Amino acid sequence: MSDRNRLMYLPLGGAGEIGMNCYVYGYGPEGAERLIVVDTGVAFPDMDGQPGVDLILPDVAWLDERRDRIDGIFITHAHEDHVGAVGHLWNRLRAPVYCRKFTAIHATRKIEEAGHDGDNVRIVGAYPEVVEAGPFRVSFAPVSHSIPEASALLIDTDAGRVVHSGDFKIDRDPRVGEPYDPEMWSEIGAEGVLAFVCDSTNVFNRNPGRSESQLPEQINALVAQARGMVVATTFASNIARVKTLAEAGVAAGRSICLMGRAMQRMVKAGVQAGVLTDFPATISPEDALDVPRENLMLLVTGSQGERRAASAALSRGKYLGHELKEGDMFVFSSKTIPGNEVPVAHIQNALAEIGVEIVDDNSGFYHVSGHANRPDLEVMHDVLKPQILVPNHGEFRHIREHARLATSKGMTGLVAPNGALVELSGNAPGVVEHVETGRTYLDGEAFVGQFDGVIRERMKMALNGMVVVALIVDEGDEVLEDAWVQLKGLPEVGSSGAALQDLIEDDIAKLLPRLDAKVVDDDEKLEEAIKRIVRQTCVQEIGKKPELALLVSRLMAD
């Protein structure tokens, strides 16, 4: 351990992937640094890779071991991939949570729902207000994004300034929220920036970013020409877009109904925080049933194909009494996040089968991204002039491309995926250590480690099916009667035309007399012997190697 103070950066989630953002900054003597955490986000599971899982959280074991050194948790904005885990993880981190008012409404609710005191969330004003947290001086610098009050963080220490971009774009008229402020950013850059830790999501898009203010004209014209009921979906948190859609409906003489708890919650929070004004009047789903469909517009959740959201429910049939019909229009004012293409396609196919007209970003100009495209990234590079650029919030291809771009412009571009501990101070900034990172699954009410085997076993059962075998063994290690077999997730009849259950029971019956007492007396050896014969039979009959659950009841002597 050295007495020299060092400034470190460690991503625990969000670097090398999109989602589950969680970053650590440290300053102090090596191994004894004081720490702050930036964002505690979640990722969302898919049925192929994490069947039955509710949420995916970053593994904060490294932080948990250093809990006494954490001086604060700073949340850049209220998207779930940045704030969604704060309630679940707060008990392990136990530090004050700092954020702006709109974000604080959501963070407080999450912490209270987890059974903790909402007073642990502290509302902070925008730059130049400063939060003192141990050796760190932190300010929230407003940025434009697809949610109000998004902020970059100015993290100052005696080793220099780090600008953590959060999610951002350059939008001079975002409709809701704060516009890009070139004077503020020039002032921040003029004070000197050691490192810029920067969003990389759209680094491959070489077109200048588009403004939220460019959409109303296009959306108004679209809704005005619709004849049946209009349903529109977007990210619930993008309340600027929700407002644009609602205003388009009102301009076309339609009543507006919000469907989905997340959308209602976001609009309410926007009004409460004072960032959403003059939102059109809405009616309840019940009252909307009395409105002629040609005079109704539903704004619904589920733009990413979420199974339980309003979009999916409407595509399957009635939802809260409302039903889509041929001639209606369904507008996706959103971009499909990579990985969500299949569930979105399922909804769109179901809508097409009904005869609903589907409109998305491929149909016209009905969506703009909330992330900076390559030219906008370069604007921030040029304004801040950092010595070091560390790309984050992107898959590996994004962060490597962003690092190459930085290097080509004379900066030190560092590739630091999850677990890479970077020293930003000193004469040779770079990765100095690798920390074991992973994921934690919220499975119902339980937390399951990525490598605990629970989800792996569940996937095996899903892919291969299961055979349950029950045996009774007496006190003399003799198997009584025949085995009892039950099939789970397997065909009842095999290729021979015989019942698979009967075939397995017969083969086990032939096996049991051949087993010596040492095998029958040992549950592990007995299970292995039964598994071999069960799988052998199943491979012959159905071409599958199912999982085995062996239930052994042993009778004890009086």
Side-chain angles (χ1 to χ4, degrees), residues 174-376:
R175 302 209 74 219
V176 175
E178 294 131 318
Y180 171 69
D181 184 344
E183 292 184 2
M184 180 193 74
W185 284 107
S186 294
E187 176 184 307
I188 290 168
E191 294 172 354
V193 175
L194 172 64
F196 185 26
V197 179
C198 185
D199 179 3
S200 307
T201 309
N202 285 351
V203 68
F204 288 108
N205 191 327
R206 296 178 181 270
N207 299 312
R210 301 182 296 186
S211 171
E212 192 71 32
S213 62
Q214 295 174 263
L215 290 176
E217 182 179 353
Q218 312 293 324
I219 292 176
N220 285 354
L222 175 69
V223 176
Q225 58 88 30
R227 292 296 172 259
M229 183 167 68
V230 176
V231 181
T233 186
T234 189
F235 299 97
S237 56
N238 191 346
I239 55 178
R241 186 75 47 79
V242 176
K243 184 179 182 182
T244 294
L245 290 165
E247 289 175 342
V250 170
R254 294 175 180 267
S255 298
I256 306 301
C257 175
L258 301 180
M259 280 190 176
R261 186 173 58 178
M263 190 166 287
Q264 294 167 346
R265 182 182 282 162
M266 283 290 175
V267 169
K268 180 179 178 181
V271 173
Q272 182 180 344
V275 298
L276 183 62
T277 58
D278 302 322
F279 192 84
T282 62
I283 60 175
S284 69
E286 294 77 17
D287 289 342
L289 292 171
D290 297 325
V291 177
R293 59 193 312 105
E294 65 271 15
N295 299 126
L296 181 63
M297 184 172 182
L298 308 180
L299 302 182
V300 303
T301 55
S303 67
Q304 299 305 302
E306 299 94 326
R307 289 180 297 116
R308 290 179 290 185
S311 293
L314 284 167
S315 75
R316 293 191 294 263
K318 285 189 176 182
Y319 179 62
L320 300 179
H322 294 270
E323 183 177 10
L324 285 161
K325 296 181 179 180
E326 185 172 356
D328 291 340
M329 176 187 288
F330 200 110
V331 182
F332 287 82
S333 183
S334 56
K335 176 184 177 181
T336 301
I337 296 172
N340 293 338
E341 295 88 351
V342 171
V344 171
H346 283 162
I347 290 175
Q348 292 185 343
N349 280 321
L351 295 172
E353 186 176 357
I354 297 168
V356 172
E357 179 186 358
I358 300 167
V359 177
D360 60 17
D361 203 31
N362 296 316
S363 312
F365 181 28
Y366 306 119
H367 173 69
V368 295
S369 175
H371 296 270
N373 291 353
R374 191 185 190 101
D376 297 339

